[in-house]
Structure formats: structure tokens, C-alpha cells
Amino acid sequence: MSLLRVEHLAVAHGGLQALWDINLTVEPGERIGLLGANGAGKSTTLGAIVGYYPTMGGRILFEETDIGRESVAARLERGVVLVPEGRRLFAAMSVRENLEMGAFLAAPRRQRAATLDQVLSLFPILKEKAAQPAGTLSGGQQQMVAIGRALMAKPRLLLLDEPFIGVAPLIIRDVLVALSAIADTGVTVLLVEQNTHRALEFVRRASVIENGRTVLDADRETLRNDKGFGAKFLGLD
Ligand SMILES: Nc1ncnc2c1ncn2[C@@H]1O[C@H](COP(=O)(O)OP(=O)(O)OP(=O)(O)O)[C@@H](O)[C@H]1O
Ligand SMILES: [Mg+2]
């Protein structure tokens, strides 16, 4: 049974249709990428999966159950958790408070202390900064808080929307190591990333969106050897 299956998804922002035909299957435990140019529809796809945007067509299945009309909270309860573009932290609140906010549903709240320990051992720097306002942290540290907050919700499917924007290259490596550790615990990871080279270091398979439509879906070796894909996304001749 697949963990997530998106079939012929269509979404509009107001009167403007952004997604026309998105198709995506994610297996349990997989690390998968969602690639595409600016404005292709990557964030809209993630937003539709977590329930921020209503679907106007198609289906979103989580473990074969159609969740396309469920509330954001109901999907969160199933373990569908987004690390949003731009992190969206509460800058004046402490790192610890930002993290704890991720565990607001009943089940994660019961495990809050233990999960917090796991997050702080995954990102030791956050232990030192736990009492500081999140807004005082560097871009990379703030991204760690955003990922940590998502982990506090006990994700089964973790969706990340361009987590490396505003993160220094050396720190990107740390975050990638942490993401691998997260994936190794059995969390399924769907990564949206503009830098295709970097994305392909982490994911084993990727799906490509153009103008709101899925145009390609293949394992990374196939993508790296695909001339059209290489020319468009890897800067190869
Ligand atoms: N809130 C919104 N209101 C109106 N149009 C929107 C909104 N969000 C996105 N769009 C439009 O929907 C289309 C898809 O945008 P989306 O943000 O999903 O793309 P993206 O692939 O995430 O791009 P980027 O790489 O720039 O983040 C674009 O044409 C965009 O202008
Ligand atoms: Mg986006």
C-alpha cells in the first residue's frame, strides 16, 4: 500500500488555476523529490496535500483513504506535516516554545518531552539556544527549528518546501545529515528543492512539475542520464 497517492490533482488560487494534473505516488519510507521551475506549482501541491488549498479536481489518498476534503488538523493527526516555505516561526517566542507548538495535538502532546529530547539531540545547537527568541537565530538554525517543530507533531509523511533558502552552504550539509537521520527512523520525506543537484543527493526518486502538470517521474539515476532533464535542471549540455 502506498503512503500517499495524488491523482490528477487540480487546484486554483481564486479564479486562477495553478495545478492542472499532478500525479504522485509515495511509498512508505521513501525519500522523494518534487522538482520544477519557479511558479511550476510545487508549493501549491504541498499546500493541497496538507489541506491549505481546496482541490477542484482529482484525489489525494493517504494510505488509500481519500483525505482531499479533510481539515488541516485531521491530516496532521494522520501524520501529514509540512515544513513551510520561509519557516514561519514566531520570532519573539523562544526556540523551545516554537518547538513545543508543533506538539499541540493530543497524541503528540503526550510524548512532547521525549520528542523534544530527540529533536535537541538531532540539532544540538538548539539545546544551547532553547531559551533565546527564535528571531535571533541564524537562517540555518531557524530552519532547524522549523524542522524540529514539524518533528514534534510526529510526522509519518514530512513535506519540506525549499528548506535550504537562506541557509549557509556548510549548514545545509548539517541539515541534510539530519534529514537522512529522520528518514532512517522511518519517516517518509517529500522534498521540494530548487537546487536539483542538492535535491538528488538526498532523494532516490523525483517527480517533475511544469506549469501545474506532472511531466516526469523517475529514479535519480534515470533522471541524471536523461538528456532533456539534464539540460533543463542540471545545467548539462
Ligand atoms: N496565494 C496565491 N494566490 C494567487 N496565485 C498564487 C498563489 N500562490 C501561488 N500562486 C500562483 O500559482 C502558481 C504556482 O505557484 P507555486 O507557488 O505553487 O509555485 P512553486 O513551484 O512553488 O514556485 P517557487 O519555486 O517560486 O516557490 C504560480 O503561477 C503562482 O503565481
Ligand atoms: Mg514554492
Side-chain angles (χ1 to χ4, degrees), residues 77-90:
E77 205 154 354
R78 292 183 186 276
V80 181
V81 183
L82 174 66
V83 179
E85 199 168 12
R87 305 186 277 267
R88 309 278 171 84
L89 302 180
F90 292 91

Side-chain angles (χ1 to χ4, degrees), residues 37-44 85 161-162 192 194:
N38 279 318
K42 304 179 297 295
S43 297
T44 303
E85 199 168 12
D161 197 350
E162 309 213 28
V192 165
Q194 283 274 338

Side-chain angles (χ1 to χ4, degrees), residues 143-214:
Q143 190 60 58
M144 293 173 189
V145 178
I147 294 170
R149 179 183 56 190
L151 294 177
M152 294 295 291
K154 292 283 170 191
R156 296 182 57 215
L157 174 62
L158 183 64
L159 312 163
L160 298 124
D161 197 350
E162 309 213 28
F164 304 124
I165 288 183
V167 177
L170 273 172
I171 309 301
I172 288 176
R173 261 217 318 249
D174 293 345
V175 176
L176 276 170
V177 168
L179 284 181
S180 289
I182 293 164
D184 287 345
T185 67
V187 176
T188 306
V189 181
L190 173 54
L191 174 68
V192 165
E193 175 54 36
Q194 283 274 338
N195 185 325
T196 306
H197 286 283
R198 188 175 295 139
L200 292 183
E201 285 171 26
F202 176 74
V203 304
R204 301 290 179 265
R205 189 164 71 86
S207 180
V208 181
I209 301 180
E210 269 176 29
N211 300 316
R213 290 183 172 81
T214 303

Side-chain angles (χ1 to χ4, degrees), residues 68-107:
R69 292 181 195 284
E70 287 187 353
S71 67
V72 174
R75 298 184 212 196
L76 193 58
E77 205 154 354
R78 292 183 186 276
V80 181
V81 183
L82 174 66
V83 179
E85 199 168 12
R87 305 186 277 267
R88 309 278 171 84
L89 302 180
F90 292 91
M93 291 172 62
S94 73
V95 166
R96 173 189 293 271
E97 287 165 332
N98 271 278
L99 290 172
E100 286 177 340
M101 230 172 322
F104 72 92
L105 288 177

